[in-house]
């Protein structure tokens, strides 16, 4: 069974043209193991420069570009929104969808997230679907219920077969940007739950979906996390803004 590993950089509302340039230059000699993709997700204004620079430097084709969000609508009067087609026009291949910051600050619901995943898949973009529980939810043993309630609307809308083209990022909200990483055992246990949940709908698809861990992943803890049976890489925030650290994380990932 070949399951691709993915390391995705979520720059959030950080970075600038200098980072675009230093990241691409840094990635010219990154060492990647078998069956690994790297996805850089800058803020929208830098997507175009990033695409141009990646092409100019003829980076390894395993290095791809992603957006941090996308509209569920095809086109129309949605001021400030960006459509799947616009991203495809720029050669963007991935889109982070349903990040916990979008769910909490911009009130994105799991239904809206499902519409976005559907729109992305229809346009040939690979969604990086983010799910995760809050600290209070973990403390009250609701983690599995919460994750199921975030996954089920997407399965209902797009159908489990389409998950073959979906990447899932499990990010416990309490671990994002806090320096508190889930232990590798805790992360593995939760990833195993997610894979089993998908397997109830389709075992074959579940075995192939890359499950990324996110939340304070750095150059020191990535190796242990990525060694877990159901962890297929990571969604990296803070550490993805530091080129050398990010390269170490990319090199630690390995397809399973
Ligand atoms: P972090 O962010 O690595 O800074 O914790 C991860 C994320 O929010 O995707």
């Amino acid at each position: 069974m070949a399951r691709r590993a993915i390391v995705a950089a979520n720059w959030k509302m950080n970075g600038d043209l200098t980072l675009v340039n230093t990241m691409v230059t840094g990635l010219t000699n990154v060492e990647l193991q078998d069956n690994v993709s790297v996805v850089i997700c800058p803020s929208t204004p830098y997507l175009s420069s990033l695409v141009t620079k990646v092409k100019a430097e003829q980076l390894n084709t395993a290095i791809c570009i992603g957006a941090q969000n996308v509209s569920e609508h095809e086109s129309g009067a949605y001021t400030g929104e960006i459509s799947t087609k616009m991203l495809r026009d720029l050669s963007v291949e991935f889109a982070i969808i349903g990040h916990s910051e979008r769910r909490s600050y911009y009130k994105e619901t799991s239904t809206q997230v499902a519409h976005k995943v559907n729109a992305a898949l229809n346009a040939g973009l690979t969604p990086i679907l983010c799910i995760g529980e809050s600290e209070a939810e973990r403390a009250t043993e609701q983690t599995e219920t919460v994750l199921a309630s975030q996954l089920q609307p997407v399965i209902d809308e797009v159908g489990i077969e389409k998950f073959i083209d979906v990447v899932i990022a499990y990010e416990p909200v309490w671990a994002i940007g806090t320096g508190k990483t889930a232990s590798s055992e805790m992360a593995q246990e939760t990833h195993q739950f997610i894979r089993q949940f998908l397997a109830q709908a389709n075992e074959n698809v579940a075995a192939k979906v890359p499950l990324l861990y996110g939340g304070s992943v750095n150059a020191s803890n990535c190796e242990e996390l990525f060694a877990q049976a159901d962890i297929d890489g990571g969604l990296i925030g803070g550490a993805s803004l530091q080129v050398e650290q990010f390269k170490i994380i990319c090199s630690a990932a390995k397809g399973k």
Side-chain angles (χ1 to χ4, degrees), residues 10 12 99-101 130 171 175-179 214-217 235-239:
N10 176 11
K12 310 193 180 186
H99 189 278
S100 67
E101 287 150 17
C130 300
E171 300 200 300
I176 295 178
T178 56
S216 300
V217 178
L235 180 55
I236 322 297

Side-chain angles (χ1 to χ4, degrees), residues 2-122:
R3 196 163 64 229
R4 169 162 74 140
I6 294 173
V7 178
N10 176 11
W11 287 3
K12 310 193 180 186
M13 202 171 72
N14 297 300
D16 51 19
L17 276 179
T18 306
L19 183 62
V20 168
N21 290 323
T22 52
M23 180 59 76
V24 175
T25 307
L27 289 174
T28 52
N29 62 1
V30 68
E31 288 183 16
L32 300 179
Q33 303 192 56
D34 291 344
N35 205 11
V36 176
S37 298
V38 171
V39 186
I40 312 292
C41 307
S43 287
T44 311
Y46 301 118
L47 282 169
S48 185
S49 314
L50 187 59
V51 170
T52 307
K53 179 93 178 149
V54 163
K55 280 190 187 145
E57 296 286 344
Q58 298 184 316
L59 282 195
N60 185 330
T61 51
I63 297 171
C64 313
I65 294 165
Q68 295 177 13
N69 182 27
V70 70
S71 173
E72 67 269 44
H73 303 290
E74 239 173 71
S75 63
Y78 301 103
T79 303
E81 291 291 290
I82 291 146
S83 74
T84 53
K85 183 174 177 301
M86 293 166 187
L87 295 176
R88 292 302 286 153
D89 278 350
L90 289 178
S91 308
V92 169
E93 292 175 80
F94 289 76
I96 298 173
I97 295 178
H99 189 278
S100 67
E101 287 150 17
R102 299 229 40 105
R103 290 178 192 259
S104 71
Y105 304 146
Y106 304 100
K107 309 293 171 229
E108 279 187 17
T109 62
S110 291
T111 307
Q112 193 181 4
V113 167
H115 294 338
K116 290 185 175 202
V117 170
N118 201 19
L121 287 170
N122 288 338

